[in-house]
Amino acid sequence: MKRIYKNKERNKIRRIVKLKKANKSSILRKHSKNRLILRNELKMIWLISFVVIAVVVIVGVIIFFNISTSSNLVTVFDVPIKDKAALNRIVLRINQEGIKTSVTPDGLILVADEITARRMRAILISEDLIPTDIEPWVIFNKYRWALIDFERNISFQLAQQMMIANHIKAIDDVDDAKVYIAWPKKELFLSDQKPVAVSVIITPKPGIYITRNRKQIEGIQRLLKIAIEGLQDENIIILDNNAVLLNNFGNIAE
């Protein structure tokens, strides 16, 4: 009887031990499963956080780049163009040169830099695409000085000559240009006042026969008349580097 009782007790203890082991194993498996779920959730949270941070950084870089780029843009003209048809014509013509433009809501046209803006002004003037309500000194960038200032300030006259020459050199077929402006002495009576006169010497780019391009020469002449107050066609002399008179339109085909 004692042996039977001992066997029963031994079996009972074994069952209890097995049950404890089974419970422990189940707890461990459950704990391991929970740890795996938690690890996966942490990975997902980390991945989402990384993606969000990356998107924020990329958007920030794009915004910063756009702001930096916009802040470096320059205006083709320093006044907005209110005429929508004229604005569209100008933007279309600039885009034909492969140049990207931005237009502000109030009608300012922006390009990448001053060299590009100067070149576009020269083209637009030569092709007579400037709206009539834009004042000449707006086109020639920013100065509004009276005639008396020119007489008193020789350095400004030289600066003006250089500025106009730079606009002419911005024309595609022109390699170099020199501008000489003869400002007359101001007379007491208007009837005695002599007109302003301009001489321009143009060096075409190699292989370019600018003497045959009447439209381009007329465009240069128009540019001069816009830039210099009171200048008339008969007081403009445009020569090439071989001293050939270019604005003798009787000898140039249309």
Side-chain angles (χ1 to χ4, degrees), residues 37-229:
I37 293 172
L38 180 61
R39 184 182 300 169
N40 290 335
E41 289 178 350
L42 289 174
K43 284 183 178 180
M44 184 61 66
I45 292 171
W46 180 86
L47 181 61
I48 293 172
S49 300
F50 177 78
V51 170
V52 170
I53 292 171
V55 169
V56 170
V57 170
I58 292 170
V59 171
V61 169
I62 293 172
I63 293 173
F64 176 78
F65 177 78
N66 288 336
I67 292 174
S68 299
T69 303
S70 299
S71 63
N72 292 329
L73 296 177
V74 299
T75 56
V76 176
F77 307 112
D78 284 347
V79 294
I81 298 175
K82 302 297 184 182
D83 186 335
K84 297 297 183 183
L87 178 63
N88 290 336
R89 284 196 299 271
I90 290 172
V91 171
L92 178 62
R93 182 64 186 87
I94 295 174
N95 291 339
Q96 287 174 352
E97 295 294 315
I99 295 170
K100 293 182 179 180
T101 59
S102 299
V103 180
T104 64
D106 60 347
L108 284 172
I109 303 174
L110 305 174
V111 293
D113 50 54
E114 178 55 33
I115 293 174
T116 303
R118 187 185 302 148
R119 176 169 170 253
M120 289 302 98
R121 285 184 215 114
I123 290 175
L124 295 170
I125 291 169
S126 66
E127 297 183 9
D128 200 18
L129 291 174
I130 306 299
T132 55
D133 58 344
I134 292 184
E135 299 177 19
W137 282 112
V138 171
I139 297 173
F140 282 90
N141 234 6
K142 337 218 189 236
Y143 304 108
R144 294 178 177 273
W145 293 6
L147 183 59
I148 189 66
D149 293 314
F150 294 153
E151 295 174 339
R152 291 185 309 195
N153 193 340
I154 299 300
S155 64
F156 179 80
Q157 293 183 22
L158 297 174
Q160 188 195 23
Q161 290 177 171
M162 185 179 296
M163 177 184 64
I164 297 171
N166 286 336
H167 277 80
I168 295 174
K169 286 189 287 186
I171 297 172
D172 287 337
D173 293 344
V174 176
D175 190 45
D176 194 17
K178 293 180 173 59
V179 177
Y180 304 94
I181 305 173
W183 289 103
K185 178 182 177 182
K186 189 168 184 180
E187 302 293 345
L188 181 60
F189 299 103
L190 185 61
S191 58
D192 297 330
Q193 183 67 51
K194 294 180 180 180
V196 60
V198 176
S199 298
V200 179
I201 299 175
I202 292 174
T203 302
K205 289 182 178 178
I208 299 297
Y209 299 97
I210 199 169
T211 55
R212 301 176 185 175
N213 193 333
R214 174 169 179 166
K215 182 179 178 182
Q216 199 165 53
I217 297 169
E218 285 180 334
I220 294 171
Q221 189 161 288
R222 189 181 300 114
L223 184 151
L224 292 167
K225 289 167 64 178
I226 290 175
I228 303 169
E229 184 179 359

